[in-house]
Amino acid sequence: MPADASPRPTIYDVAQRAGVSKSLVSLVLRGSPHVSEARREAVEAAIEELGYRPSRAAAALASQRTRTVGVLIDDFHNPWFVELLAGLRSVLDPAGYSASVADLQLDAASGRNPVDGFLAQHVDALVVAAEPAPGALDGVGAPIVVAGIRELGGAQDADVVAGDDELGARLATEHLIGLGHRRIGHLTGRSGPGAHRRRGYEAAMAAAGLAPAVTGEDGGTSEEDGYAAACDLLDGTAGVTAIVAGNDVMAVGALAALRERGLSVPAEVSLVGHDDSPLAAYRYLQLTSVDGHSREVGAAAARALLSRLDHPDAPPHRELLAPELVVRASTAPAASV
């Protein structure tokens, strides 16, 4: 602190300025009704005059809560998480909670366990929107809410809020079948959402009597993974006229693979993404995509988390949000129709 800087005002300064006790100032800060209007106004005036800001650390010690939530995601590059976090904050912020976010991939590369970091911060609860290593959530001791479909092994008793990924992929595939496409490929990845979306695609293909063509089962779900899976699909399956990508980011990778081969979208190959991220609505892409309502998933997960903190012994909460298909310019009838 510079030598000429004024020290930060304390709760004792507020009490002295207002002519009351420290405990009465604490009651005002907590919004207690057991304070006379005159004394409340005196404390609020002292707070305003001094520019006092309550200490979160002191409040945490007094309440046994830090009012901080740890949010574990697995890829900052995927715009799905932007909407998820916006939904979480829309509920957590008004309730006085802040979110601390960690990327599982970044921490894994540095050798750190983000769950340990959250526990060191004494977070009140965790929102898990990733798939950590087996055992990583064992002994956490804090409520866990799972956002999205995840494979978490031992965390089966956690509250879960997700979009219906299987139904979403089925809607995407049925849309293409309705446009007359018969050779429809699917780009997937190793993850809980990937497995559910793959099942939805395969169910729609089976119901229409069509042969599935799936690539990328052992890969990730990034743009580069989408590009590699699309190359494998186009090289290994003749006559593909439509592709259902595992997410919007993979769809962008698929678009690059198609253009390298001189195939236009949607005149020669229709393309569907999943998540309806902001990426899908870009005028340059105009990508047909499945809206799993990620912002609503985030908001519902935050509500479930706050409810769990207030009712720790309640039965596990399960909430599945129905998806919608948003049709844009990347899909069209098959050329033969």
Side-chain angles (χ1 to χ4, degrees):
M1 180 182 294
D4 59 348
S6 300
R8 181 177 176 179
T10 69
I11 193 171
Y12 297 100
D13 297 324
V14 173
Q16 184 177 22
R17 176 67 64 92
V20 300
S21 67
K22 169 185 168 294
S23 59
L24 191 136
V25 175
S26 295
L27 288 174
V28 172
L29 292 173
R30 294 201 299 269
S32 171
H34 306 299
V35 180
S36 71
E37 189 62 29
R39 287 190 169 185
R40 183 184 304 280
E41 289 177 358
V43 170
E44 290 174 346
I47 289 172
E48 181 68 23
E49 291 168 9
L50 294 171
Y52 172 72
R53 296 293 179 269
S55 166
R56 290 182 64 90
L61 286 172
S63 66
Q64 301 300 306
R65 286 189 182 181
T66 61
R67 303 192 78 80
T68 302
V69 174
V71 183
L72 184 62
I73 67 174
D74 62 9
D75 186 3
F76 268 124
H77 295 98
N78 189 333
W80 182 85
F81 292 106
V82 175
E83 294 297 300
L84 176 78
L85 291 170
L88 284 168
R89 292 197 57 182
S90 72
V91 174
L92 294 178
D93 286 2
Y97 283 80
S98 60
S100 177
V101 183
D103 184 328
L104 189 63
Q105 291 188 18
L106 291 177
D107 283 332
S110 65
R112 294 192 301 265
N113 182 349
V115 177
D116 290 342
F118 287 142
L119 296 181
Q121 296 177 46
H122 300 286
V123 297
D124 294 328
L126 289 178
V127 175
V128 179
E131 296 181 2
L137 298 176
D138 293 349
V140 165
I144 295 174
V145 176
V146 180
I149 300 295
R150 311 291 168 187
E151 302 294 340
L152 296 178
Q156 297 304 319
D157 292 335
D159 298 315
V160 178
V161 180
D164 192 335
D165 288 328
E166 186 169 337
L167 176 58
R170 185 162 189 154
L171 290 175
T173 310
E174 288 173 346
H175 167 67
L176 294 170
I177 293 170
L179 291 173
H181 295 279
R182 295 297 176 263
R183 295 188 177 181
I184 305 168
H186 178 53
L187 315 180
T188 188
R190 55 177 187 277
S191 67
H196 281 252
R197 294 172 187 183
R198 183 165 63 251
R199 284 203 291 269
Y201 158 80
E202 291 173 342
M205 294 291 282
L210 302 175
V214 180
T215 56
E217 296 98 321
D218 297 325
T221 56
S222 68
E223 178 185 355
E224 188 62 31
D225 294 314
Y227 172 81
C231 289
D232 290 343
L233 175 69
L234 296 170
D235 293 342
T237 306
V240 171
T241 65
I243 295 174
V244 178
N247 61 32
D248 292 345
V249 177
M250 294 186 78
V252 173
L255 185 61
L258 290 166
R259 287 182 173 168
E260 281 185 1
R261 287 161 172 74
L263 297 170
S264 64
V265 174
E268 295 173 279
V269 179
S270 285
L271 180 62
V272 182
H274 201 125
D275 292 334
D276 196 38
S277 65
L279 199 64
Y282 286 173
R283 287 186 176 86
Y284 179 73
L285 293 176
Q286 282 294 295
L287 179 66
T288 295
S289 185
V290 176
D291 185 358
H293 304 295
S294 55
R295 185 180 290 254
E296 288 83 352
V297 168
R303 288 192 292 270
L305 180 148
L306 296 177
S307 177
R308 175 61 56 195
L309 288 171
D310 290 336
H311 307 285
D313 297 324
H317 174 77
R318 300 285 187 271
E319 187 173 350
L320 208 59
L321 280 66
E324 298 178 67
L325 183 70
V326 180
V327 178
R328 297 190 179 91
S330 68
T331 53
S336 58
V337 175

